[in-house]
Amino acid sequence: MYATQLASPATKAMISRILTSALFAGAAAGLITALLQLVFVQPVLLHAELYESGALVHFGAEAVSAHPDLPGMFAEPIRDGLSIIFTMLTYTGYALVMVALMSVAQGQGHEINARTGLLWGLAGFVAFHFAPGLSLAPEVPGVAAAEVGARQIWWTATVAAAGIAMWLIAYGGNIVSYVVAALLLMAPHLIGAPEPSTFSGPVPTEIGALFAARAFGVGMAAWALLGTFAGYFWQSEGARAEATA
Amino acid sequence: MTTKTLKAAAAGSSILPAIFAVVLGLGIITVTGHVQASGLHDAAHDVRHATGFPCH
């Protein structure tokens, strides 16, 4: 019975609808995000790398200009090209998770379209970007940091907890859900993210702060687009399937 | 097949595609954001920093 269930027309149609919606939404949002990153985030990263490499020295013998000459967009085509590809892949991964959860929510009677998709996108930004970023801020290259494995475990647990919290806030519908959601959002930060034993980053704090702010800003725009596109494609794929049924 | 079994099958089949998509999505995110193989890390370096993944 299980095998027939897997190959049933309904299951095939649902898989096709999820994959199509997610691929379109992820690729579109990913491409726009990649370009936003190249304009707003990459220059700050390249500036930080000048300090990381020692080309510039903070608190050195002479004062250092805050406006060094930086390579322009696509000055390193392979590096920037790979960034575009990996951004599109990453956001397609996010889109697959989000559209899958949208299909479950619609199965429970909740409306999914471009407008509600925007809220989904903002919830995704909180879960995958802002919640972990609250204690593991987006890092410029060269910052001191704890061992990467420990940070990845903490990052993953925080994303999972925040994701469940978003679902409880959206669909819990009672005070217990909201309290549990608040606890899930706070717990990882009360436990604390893995931190370095000493600070040794060579990059000026001004650049570090600008980098984190730009990463969050572009991330929020990216997720708002992703959610809106996912909701739109999910709805239009559904309408198309009904029209041909 | 009783109605109850059919309903269970229908409900079961509507969640399978979602589970498949979540696993596929998380797999892609793990490869692009977390795997530390040096070639992959270097290729995804700037994106990991910009997207808030722990990088190295």
Side-chain angles (χ1 to χ4, degrees):
Chain A
M1 194 277 284
Y2 211 66
T4 49
Q5 192 180 308
L6 278 176
S8 80
T11 303
K12 283 185 191 170
M14 182 59 89
I15 287 180
S16 160
R17 185 177 174 190
I18 291 175
L19 290 183
T20 306
S21 309
L23 290 175
F24 275 109
L31 180 58
I32 296 169
T33 304
L35 298 176
L36 288 173
Q37 277 173 183
L38 287 176
V39 172
F40 293 110
V41 183
Q42 190 70 3
V44 187
L45 185 139
L46 294 174
H47 195 174
E49 284 187 340
L50 293 178
Y51 287 93
E52 184 191 24
S53 66
L56 296 180
V57 180
H58 194 32
F59 295 128
E62 323 117 38
V64 174
S65 163
H67 307 287
D69 288 331
L70 295 169
M73 213 153 107
F74 297 117
E76 298 175 79
I78 292 176
R79 178 174 184 171
D80 292 344
L82 283 171
S83 292
I84 291 173
I85 291 167
F86 274 89
T87 305
M88 291 176 76
L89 276 172
T90 303
Y91 277 88
T92 299
Y94 292 150
L96 281 163
V97 175
M98 181 156 55
V99 173
L101 295 176
M102 280 176 168
S103 74
V104 173
Q106 179 158 308
Q108 296 176 351
H110 302 292
E111 190 176 351
I112 303 295
N113 52 41
R115 265 167 60 88
T116 59
L118 176 59
L119 288 177
W120 276 81
L122 296 176
F125 168 69
V126 169
F128 272 96
H129 212 129
F130 195 67
L134 194 67
S135 286
L136 275 186
E139 306 157 353
V140 278
V143 292
E147 194 268 327
V148 66
R151 282 181 288 145
Q152 287 177 332
I153 291 167
W154 184 89
W155 184 96
T156 305
T158 303
V159 166
I164 295 166
M166 292 296 105
W167 185 280
L168 288 173
I169 290 169
Y171 300 128
N174 55 60
I175 189 68
V176 173
S177 307
Y178 304 143
V179 170
V180 170
L183 294 175
L184 283 170
L185 285 169
M186 288 189 291
H189 306 289
L190 296 173
I191 293 165
E195 287 177 351
S197 46
T198 59
F199 288 133
S200 60
V203 180
T205 49
E206 295 86 347
I207 294 176
L210 179 61
F211 184 85
R214 288 278 175 91
F216 280 140
V218 167
M220 189 168 184
W223 275 94
L225 287 169
L226 186 69
T228 306
F229 289 157
Y232 169 78
F233 286 117
W234 174 256
Q235 188 182 39
S236 58
E237 279 299 303
R240 200 168 59 81
E242 272 164 26
T244 53
Chain B
M1 228 190 213
T2 63
T3 320
K4 208 170 162 200
T5 322
L6 277 173
K7 259 195 193 134
S13 74
S14 71
I15 202 78
L16 278 177
I19 292 171
F20 166 72
V22 166
V23 170
L24 180 60
L26 292 178
I28 292 172
I29 293 164
T30 301
V31 169
T32 60
H34 286 305
V35 170
Q36 291 293 311
S38 64
L40 201 54
H41 165 271
D42 295 347
H45 174 266
D46 297 348
V47 178
R48 289 182 179 183
H49 277 276
T51 320
F53 286 99
C55 192
H56 45 255

